[in-house]
Amino acid sequence: MTWETVVGLEVHVQLLTRTKMFCGCSARFGDPPNTNVCPVCLGLPGALPVPNEQAVRLAVRAAYALGCTVHPRSIFARKNYFYPDLPKGYQISQFEGPLATGGALACVSPDRGPIAVRIKRLHLEEDAGKSFHDRVPGKTAVDFNRSGVPLIEIVSEPDLRSPAEARAYLAVLKQVLGPGYLAISNCNMEEGSLRVDANLSIRPAGSSELRTRTEVKNMNSFSGVEHALTAERARQLVATERGEEIVQATLLFDAAAGEVRPTRTKEEAHDYRYFPEPDIPPLVLAEAWLAREKQALPELPAAKRARLESAFKLSPAESVVVSATAALGDYFEALAARAGSGAGKEVWNWVANDLLSLSRDGESIPVPAGPAFETLALVRGGTISRQAAKRVLAELVQHPSEPAAAIAERLGLVQVSDTSAIEGWVRETLEAHAAEVARYKAGETRLMGFLVGQVMKRSQGKADPKAVNAALSQALE
Ligand code: ZN
Ligand code: MN
């Protein structure tokens, strides 16, 4: 039988606010343990939580970016459970009456092409503290700095059909919400500002039933998510083919072993006894405020790709590259505006091949658009070769205020189109490679490329390749 994989993801994203969700403590990552705490986030008796307006704003932007309906009235609720990193004994979250529901995220599946993954809900909540099992021998240590930091939880419908698709969805989610576009979060899995829990089940291909699923946790990278889901899918396939029943369970991914293992505790037995948070009134958002936030959203990757494709005649594969971040898209457009109409492809090549290779992070280009265009203009005018342009650009990273033309001059990269100099190099080359010349004359015309290369070498890359071609052809006649 052919089996189909069904995956849904729950993603927790830490919002980039200065302070925590319900108190004024700093939400900064990496401070010394237990230095950013107060009676509210430690759950001391009598302390009262007050929602953080900026956190609500960032959550609303995320919801609109994911095409969700944002509800003008939502309810905070207590999610009760016991764990040492949860000082109150409950987490303030949202249950019935979440902030937003019913969105979709468009992404490209490696198997199926463009897909839309439906978003079931997006709600606000606070984070728990962090337990350390390896700091104090024989004991568990807890850091409450993270306790009360604002999160959104984004729950997808089970619309993903493979581990690779799950990874593609996460990459787009990070692109939209992370520093490249909305910047509501760092979306850094290693630092825990984006965390993923995955539900996976299998079913006969073509069926629409939802079978018993398992939950996979403890992944700390996108590739970890793909590996963990691949391992869990394989485990379920083997069990099912053997006639065993899949048991609902929570599994932890062990990245070192590449395996998923059942947790010791039976987490499924949890009853969170949700009830509305008595200390916080319903969150009521003015329609005008919501409308302003929706209006102020930046252009998102999918819209940018579509626009760049039609305005600059780029292919989908090309538009993906220059829309990686909003800033890269702006850079491409700034350069294309200088290069003139119809130069989209030329500028794309320039950005993707010459400029992005200078980038440390693969996204931000260390040469401003002005000098980058001056360099392109030198190539267009035949002053320097494309190869020499790479050296000019690399030099511009070090000397951003030196004009590109001056750098080309200083590095001796200005092309020689002077015919007598080129004819001299051609003559020397033909003498040095008499054997190849004889073979060329006997019909091995593909040796032309070799001979052009030799002349260019003699000129130390300074000869204009077009002039070399012409001079060589003439000399060989
Ligand atoms: Zn606090
Ligand atoms: Mn949650």
Side-chain angles (χ1 to χ4, degrees), residues 122-139:
L122 182 153
H123 68 249
L124 267 164
E125 60 186 31
E126 59 176 338
D127 209 344
K130 191 167 167 51
S131 305
F132 293 90
H133 304 289
D134 52 0
R135 295 268 173 105
V136 186
K139 296 195 170 76

mmCIF file of all heavy atoms in Angstrom, residues 122-139:
data_model
loop_
_atom_site.group_PDB
_atom_site.id
_atom_site.type_symbol
_atom_site.label_atom_id
_atom_site.label_comp_id
_atom_site.label_asym_id
_atom_site.label_seq_id
_atom_site.Cartn_x
_atom_site.Cartn_y
_atom_site.Cartn_z
ATOM 1 N N LEU A 122 -3.945 31.809 15.738
ATOM 2 C CA LEU A 122 -2.736 32.476 16.213
ATOM 3 C C LEU A 122 -3.128 33.164 17.516
ATOM 4 O O LEU A 122 -4.069 33.951 17.545
ATOM 5 C CB LEU A 122 -2.263 33.495 15.176
ATOM 6 C CG LEU A 122 -0.976 34.278 15.466
ATOM 7 C CD1 LEU A 122 -0.314 34.710 14.155
ATOM 8 C CD2 LEU A 122 -1.210 35.488 16.339
ATOM 9 N N HIS A 123 -2.474 32.782 18.602
ATOM 10 C CA HIS A 123 -2.825 33.424 19.870
ATOM 11 C C HIS A 123 -1.601 33.908 20.633
ATOM 12 O O HIS A 123 -0.476 33.510 20.339
ATOM 13 C CB HIS A 123 -3.712 32.508 20.720
ATOM 14 C CG HIS A 123 -3.019 31.281 21.230
ATOM 15 N ND1 HIS A 123 -3.309 30.021 20.792
ATOM 16 C CD2 HIS A 123 -2.045 31.123 22.159
ATOM 17 C CE1 HIS A 123 -2.550 29.140 21.423
ATOM 18 N NE2 HIS A 123 -1.759 29.786 22.260
ATOM 19 N N LEU A 124 -1.866 34.790 21.594
ATOM 20 C CA LEU A 124 -0.822 35.382 22.438
ATOM 21 C C LEU A 124 -0.665 34.553 23.700
ATOM 22 O O LEU A 124 -1.656 34.062 24.243
ATOM 23 C CB LEU A 124 -1.252 36.786 22.852
ATOM 24 C CG LEU A 124 -0.819 37.963 22.001
ATOM 25 C CD1 LEU A 124 -1.661 39.175 22.359
ATOM 26 C CD2 LEU A 124 0.662 38.270 22.199
ATOM 27 N N GLU A 125 0.549 34.451 24.183
ATOM 28 C CA GLU A 125 0.762 33.819 25.480
ATOM 29 C C GLU A 125 2.111 34.235 26.029
ATOM 30 O O GLU A 125 2.860 34.962 25.387
ATOM 31 C CB GLU A 125 0.639 32.292 25.383
ATOM 32 C CG GLU A 125 1.629 31.633 24.450
ATOM 33 C CD GLU A 125 1.355 30.127 24.285
ATOM 34 O OE1 GLU A 125 0.176 29.703 24.371
ATOM 35 O OE2 GLU A 125 2.325 29.384 24.084
ATOM 36 N N GLU A 126 2.391 33.779 27.253
ATOM 37 C CA GLU A 126 3.683 34.084 27.868
ATOM 38 C C GLU A 126 4.535 32.827 27.857
ATOM 39 O O GLU A 126 4.016 31.718 27.851
ATOM 40 C CB GLU A 126 3.486 34.579 29.297
ATOM 41 C CG GLU A 126 2.777 33.554 30.179
ATOM 42 C CD GLU A 126 2.649 33.992 31.634
ATOM 43 O OE1 GLU A 126 3.433 34.852 32.064
ATOM 44 O OE2 GLU A 126 1.770 33.476 32.329
ATOM 45 N N ASP A 127 5.847 33.029 27.886
ATOM 46 C CA ASP A 127 6.762 31.891 27.905
ATOM 47 C C ASP A 127 6.956 31.419 29.343
ATOM 48 O O ASP A 127 6.636 32.141 30.293
ATOM 49 C CB ASP A 127 8.114 32.312 27.298
ATOM 50 C CG ASP A 127 8.837 31.148 26.639
ATOM 51 O OD1 ASP A 127 8.470 29.982 26.898
ATOM 52 O OD2 ASP A 127 9.787 31.404 25.869
ATOM 53 N N ALA A 128 7.463 30.210 29.500
ATOM 54 C CA ALA A 128 7.836 29.690 30.820
ATOM 55 C C ALA A 128 9.315 29.988 31.051
ATOM 56 O O ALA A 128 10.005 30.483 30.147
ATOM 57 C CB ALA A 128 7.585 28.190 30.855
ATOM 58 N N GLY A 129 9.821 29.683 32.227
ATOM 59 C CA GLY A 129 11.261 29.797 32.483
ATOM 60 C C GLY A 129 11.994 28.679 31.753
ATOM 61 O O GLY A 129 11.396 27.940 30.967
ATOM 62 N N LYS A 130 13.289 28.587 32.031
ATOM 63 C CA LYS A 130 14.066 27.559 31.336
ATOM 64 C C LYS A 130 14.809 26.703 32.359
ATOM 65 O O LYS A 130 15.477 27.230 33.246
ATOM 66 C CB LYS A 130 15.063 28.244 30.391
ATOM 67 C CG LYS A 130 15.750 27.302 29.416
ATOM 68 C CD LYS A 130 16.457 28.107 28.334
ATOM 69 C CE LYS A 130 17.422 27.269 27.515
ATOM 70 N NZ LYS A 130 16.858 26.035 26.973
ATOM 71 N N SER A 131 14.651 25.375 32.227
ATOM 72 C CA SER A 131 15.333 24.452 33.153
ATOM 73 C C SER A 131 16.681 24.045 32.574
ATOM 74 O O SER A 131 16.813 23.855 31.369
ATOM 75 C CB SER A 131 14.497 23.183 33.337
ATOM 76 O OG SER A 131 13.199 23.524 33.748
ATOM 77 N N PHE A 132 17.662 23.923 33.441
ATOM 78 C CA PHE A 132 18.990 23.437 33.030
ATOM 79 C C PHE A 132 19.293 22.184 33.839
ATOM 80 O O PHE A 132 19.310 22.221 35.054
ATOM 81 C CB PHE A 132 20.060 24.498 33.301
ATOM 82 C CG PHE A 132 19.905 25.721 32.448
ATOM 83 C CD1 PHE A 132 19.137 26.794 32.884
ATOM 84 C CD2 PHE A 132 20.499 25.786 31.194
ATOM 85 C CE1 PHE A 132 18.975 27.919 32.087
ATOM 86 C CE2 PHE A 132 20.341 26.909 30.396
ATOM 87 C CZ PHE A 132 19.575 27.977 30.844
ATOM 88 N N HIS A 133 19.525 21.087 33.129
ATOM 89 C CA HIS A 133 19.769 19.824 33.824
ATOM 90 C C HIS A 133 21.258 19.524 33.923
ATOM 91 O O HIS A 133 21.645 18.501 34.449
ATOM 92 C CB HIS A 133 19.038 18.690 33.106
ATOM 93 C CG HIS A 133 17.563 18.948 32.974
ATOM 94 N ND1 HIS A 133 16.704 18.911 34.059
ATOM 95 C CD2 HIS A 133 16.800 19.301 31.910
ATOM 96 C CE1 HIS A 133 15.466 19.200 33.651
ATOM 97 N NE2 HIS A 133 15.508 19.455 32.345
ATOM 98 N N ASP A 134 22.088 20.426 33.366
ATOM 99 C CA ASP A 134 23.518 20.106 33.291
ATOM 100 C C ASP A 134 24.408 21.159 33.975
ATOM 101 O O ASP A 134 25.611 21.115 33.874
ATOM 102 C CB ASP A 134 23.926 19.959 31.818
ATOM 103 C CG ASP A 134 23.505 21.160 30.988
ATOM 104 O OD1 ASP A 134 22.902 22.098 31.547
ATOM 105 O OD2 ASP A 134 23.786 21.158 29.780
ATOM 106 N N ARG A 135 23.798 22.119 34.667
ATOM 107 C CA ARG A 135 24.607 23.187 35.272
ATOM 108 C C ARG A 135 25.092 22.823 36.679
ATOM 109 O O ARG A 135 26.199 23.105 37.060
ATOM 110 C CB ARG A 135 23.798 24.486 35.366
ATOM 111 C CG ARG A 135 23.421 25.082 34.030
ATOM 112 C CD ARG A 135 24.442 26.091 33.552
ATOM 113 N NE ARG A 135 24.130 26.508 32.193
ATOM 114 C CZ ARG A 135 23.601 27.686 31.898
ATOM 115 N NH1 ARG A 135 23.367 28.564 32.833
ATOM 116 N NH2 ARG A 135 23.340 27.985 30.635
ATOM 117 N N VAL A 136 24.170 22.250 37.475
ATOM 118 C CA VAL A 136 24.479 21.917 38.870
ATOM 119 C C VAL A 136 24.410 20.395 38.992
ATOM 120 O O VAL A 136 23.355 19.817 38.740
ATOM 121 C CB VAL A 136 23.449 22.576 39.823
ATOM 122 C CG1 VAL A 136 23.847 22.344 41.284
ATOM 123 C CG2 VAL A 136 23.305 24.058 39.529
ATOM 124 N N PRO A 137 25.527 19.742 39.366
ATOM 125 C CA PRO A 137 25.525 18.269 39.395
ATOM 126 C C PRO A 137 24.416 17.711 40.288
ATOM 127 O O PRO A 137 24.232 18.168 41.417
ATOM 128 C CB PRO A 137 26.907 17.930 39.977
ATOM 129 C CG PRO A 137 27.747 19.147 39.724
ATOM 130 C CD PRO A 137 26.823 20.319 39.771
ATOM 131 N N GLY A 138 23.659 16.778 39.723
ATOM 132 C CA GLY A 138 22.630 16.110 40.502
ATOM 133 C C GLY A 138 21.376 16.938 40.726
ATOM 134 O O GLY A 138 20.429 16.480 41.363
ATOM 135 N N LYS A 139 21.361 18.180 40.221
ATOM 136 C CA LYS A 139 20.190 19.034 40.462
ATOM 137 C C LYS A 139 19.737 19.677 39.154
ATOM 138 O O LYS A 139 20.471 19.704 38.175
ATOM 139 C CB LYS A 139 20.539 20.140 41.458
ATOM 140 C CG LYS A 139 20.916 19.657 42.849
ATOM 141 C CD LYS A 139 20.874 20.832 43.815
ATOM 142 C CE LYS A 139 21.007 20.369 45.256
ATOM 143 N NZ LYS A 139 22.383 20.007 45.610
#
